[in-house]
Every structure is written in structure tokens, then in C-alpha cells.
Amino acid sequence: MRWENLSESGHTRAADTALFGTDAVTTRTFDTPEFAGITFHEVRARSIVNRVPGASRMPFEWTLNPYRGCSHACVYCFARKTHSYLDLDTGLGFDSQIVVKVNAPELLRRRLASPSWHGEHIAMGTNVDCYQRAEGRYRLMPGIIDALREHANPFSILTKGTLILRDLDLLTEAARVTEVGVSVSVGFTDPVLWRGVEPGTPAPERRLDVVRALGERGIGCGVLMAPVLPFLSDGPASLRATVRAIAAAGATSVTPLVLHLRPGAREWFMAWLARHHPHLVRRYERLYAEGAYAPKWYQRRITRQVHDLAREYGMGPRGAGAARRIPEPGPDALAEPSEHSEISAPEPTQLTLL
């Protein structure tokens, strides 16, 4: 396993600026059912807030990722490639060898207090889920959210994890002083498909419970309908069922993203497809013949269908992770309580969040 000289982007660089060295790694396993088969590599990172490369399609400039690898085990996860930077397997290794940056809250506080930091938006959950199972044990997010709240620094979270509800009070407090955006990822509601491609995640209906709970606290929550899986979850009935469930949960918006297959994820997903849906392999090879992304015409078609359904159910599209803010209470609140068409915007852009 390669730890030394690892940079934020995954490339090697001088040892004095590496993210962490071999002397900063502790490897642990836990004899509990929820962590069976999972190995945790606890590291003391040297940096935690990362600048997004200029060529990225991400709609933000800074990210924070307290974990590498993800026990959600989504067969399509684009972040699988990042495990190869550590000489770790991008298949089962990505699902079961989890790197934990145990000093993430401490590093964030230091960064936010730096004179060079100007309060830019920080996005979380854009690489691997910060509310995956490991968070239940390591509890890094409360310290991270508290630091962002103390500095009134805007942030957003994208998650498939219901564990975010543990931090609902903290999120509510943060939303009173800064912009807080939360998006939950629900690509489809079919239980059989969910168990096949997202085996380590909470069920889609449990994720939609998160949307409801956040809305009840005044934190508007959008849903990233991602990924839409060609020939598996893109049929009219499937799209309608998913958008209907999202609307019923009180989501402020729905943003569809078609599956994209980067190197690392592509090989793992296609192997899964060959085992479970061999008749679709050739269709996928043709659809993704030009690269990681489905053709523009296909993306536009899905976007039109989902946006039409969203309007039908009273929702609209919104940028993924866009911030929502709880307004300051007015004077009354301080008193003692008494008893298929395109939106008018540029053509759909296939973001790379999942």
C-alpha cells in the first residue's frame, strides 16, 4: 500500500507536502456486524480542504472529504479510481478498505482561521459519502459542521446516508448563520435494482425520509436523481415512480444525472452488468462508445422527461447542492409561545457528483 508522497489529486509529490506518511497510519478492524469485512486506515492528513481543478464540471471550487473509499459499495461509483492512487483495489478494496482522516475537524478549523481563507463555499460528499457507515463510529461530521458554523462559512452536503439526521440540530444551527445546502441522492426507487447496485446504502424510501425531516426543520432539501441507469431505471414508469416519490417527500427540486462511467468505475460496473444483465452489455458498449458520458441526445431526453414530471408534481430543477438558508426569526418568533420540455437554461450539463 502506498501512503507516502500522495497529493490531494492522487499524484505523487515531495514528501514534505504529502497528505500523510506511513508514520501517520493506524489500521483497525472492528468485530461488529455493521463493520464486518471492513478495514479502516486511520490517518492524520496534512490538508483537508481541496481546490477543484479548473477543468472540472463541478459547480463549486472547494471540497472536503473526510473519507476515502466507501462502504456504500455502489457498483457505478466514479470515485473508485482514487483508490488506485494508494495501490488499493478499486473494486472490493474500495468498498472495504476505508481511509479515515481522523484530524479532519482540526484541519478545517485551522484552514478557516487562516488569513488566506475568504469564506468560500465548501462542498462535501462529492467524492465519497461523508455519512457512510464509518461516520457512525468516527463522528467527524459534527466537528466539521460546528467549525463551519462558528465561522459562518457556507457549505453543502450530498449524501445517500440517513446518518445525517444525527446532526440535524447542528445543521439547523448552522443554517441560521450561513447558507447550508443539502441534497440527497435517490436515482430510482426499485428495491430490486437498489439491492443490486447500491448494496451498502439505506433504502431509497429511508433517504426520502431524510428529505422530509430536513424540510420539517426549515432546511429545503433537493434530490439529485442520480444515477439514471440506461435500460434499467430510465423507462417512463420508473422515472414517474421516482419523481412522484421525491415530490411526496417534499423535495424542493429534482436534478437528474445520467450514469457516467469513468475508468475504474467502468470496469467494475460492466463486470456487474455482465453477471446480472448480460443482454445489456452490448447496448452499454454502444451507448458509452465515445467515453465516460452517455450521448448528449440521451442526456437531453432524460432531462426533459424528469423536468416535465417535476413540473407535473410541483417541483422545479435546481443546481446540485445549492444552498438554502433559514431566515432569522422575526419579532413574533421571539415572543412567548401561546398555546417533456426544456427549462429556460443552457442545455443539460452532466455533472460528476456520483
Side-chain angles (χ1 to χ4, degrees):
M1 186 181 301
R2 178 161 56 91
W3 299 107
E4 294 179 334
N5 303 339
L6 182 71
S7 74
E8 296 168 6
S9 63
H11 302 296
T12 55
R13 59 182 180 179
D16 61 346
T17 57
L19 288 186
F20 39 81
T22 53
D23 59 342
V25 179
T26 301
T27 297
R28 301 184 192 277
T29 57
F30 300 108
D31 188 20
T32 53
E34 66 269 30
F35 297 132
I38 299 178
T39 300
F40 297 97
H41 305 284
E42 300 173 359
V43 305
R44 293 194 61 80
R46 295 181 180 173
S47 66
I48 197 66
V49 180
N50 305 319
R51 185 188 290 273
V52 177
S56 171
R57 302 184 184 195
M58 295 288 194
F60 38 78
E61 189 176 357
W62 298 93
T63 63
L64 188 156
N65 294 291
Y67 301 98
R68 281 180 179 257
C70 187
S71 59
H72 285 345
C74 301
V75 297
Y76 52 74
C77 183
F78 84 91
R80 289 182 176 278
K81 179 67 174 176
T82 63
H83 247 40
S84 67
Y85 306 148
L86 297 174
D87 289 342
L88 288 170
D89 175 58
T90 59
L92 290 176
F94 180 84
D95 303 338
S96 62
Q97 301 281 331
I98 311 300
V99 178
V100 184
K101 303 172 187 177
V102 293
N103 59 336
E106 168 194 334
L107 286 175
L108 177 61
R109 289 182 185 278
R110 189 185 310 164
R111 186 73 172 101
L112 296 178
S114 169
S116 64
W117 182 254
H118 302 295
E120 294 92 340
H121 180 101
I122 295 176
M124 293 174 279
T126 61
N127 190 45
V128 300
D129 203 321
C130 48
Y131 282 106
Q132 60 177 286
R133 269 178 282 168
E135 174 59 19
R137 181 174 186 91
Y138 287 97
R139 299 183 61 87
L140 300 179
M141 288 301 293
I144 288 169
I145 295 170
D146 198 49
L148 292 162
R149 179 193 60 81
E150 287 180 6
H151 290 268
N153 200 102
F155 65 92
S156 60
I157 298 172
L158 171 64
T159 185
K160 289 187 177 81
T162 55
L163 190 56
I164 191 173
L165 294 179
R166 180 201 63 194
D167 298 337
L168 195 50
D169 288 342
L170 279 172
L171 289 168
T172 304
E173 293 169 11
R176 296 198 181 280
V177 299
T178 191
E179 292 182 335
V180 175
V182 181
S183 291
V184 171
S185 174
V186 181
F188 39 82
T189 54
D190 179 349
V192 175
L193 186 59
W194 158 62
R195 290 188 185 96
V197 299
E198 300 171 345
T201 66
E205 57 266 31
R206 298 288 74 80
R207 290 177 240 164
L208 293 175
D209 287 342
V210 171
V211 177
R212 292 186 184 90
L214 287 165
E216 289 169 359
R217 285 296 189 95
I219 302 176
C221 182
V223 169
L224 196 65
M225 192 170 158
V228 175
L229 299 172
F231 320 122
L232 291 169
S233 68
D234 64 346
S238 178
L239 294 178
R240 177 173 289 276
T242 303
V243 175
R244 182 171 58 239
I246 290 168
T252 57
S253 65
V254 58
T255 304
L257 296 180
V258 174
L259 173 73
H260 65 278
L261 294 172
R262 293 185 187 178
R266 186 182 188 113
E267 296 82 357
W268 192 245
F269 178 83
M270 292 301 289
W272 174 86
L273 195 70
R275 289 194 304 273
H276 297 280
H277 302 279
H279 62 288
L280 293 180
V281 170
R282 287 294 302 138
R283 298 182 74 180
Y284 266 80
E285 289 173 346
R286 288 193 296 268
L287 191 66
Y288 289 90
E290 300 301 317
Y293 295 91
K296 290 287 187 182
W297 63 263
Y298 180 85
Q299 294 183 41
R300 292 191 189 102
R301 190 186 80 189
I302 296 299
T303 299
R304 280 195 300 269
Q305 290 177 297
V306 171
H307 286 177
D308 284 348
L309 290 166
R311 281 189 289 271
E312 180 180 337
Y313 290 110
M315 292 184 297
R318 175 163 62 88
R324 298 273 171 175
R325 184 170 179 175
I326 295 177
E328 291 298 323
D332 292 343
L334 300 178
E336 287 294 320
S338 57
E339 241 296 15
H340 299 273
S341 58
E342 297 273 357
I343 59 170
S344 56
E347 68 177 34
T349 299
Q350 181 75 358
L351 303 179
T352 54
L353 291 174
L354 290 172

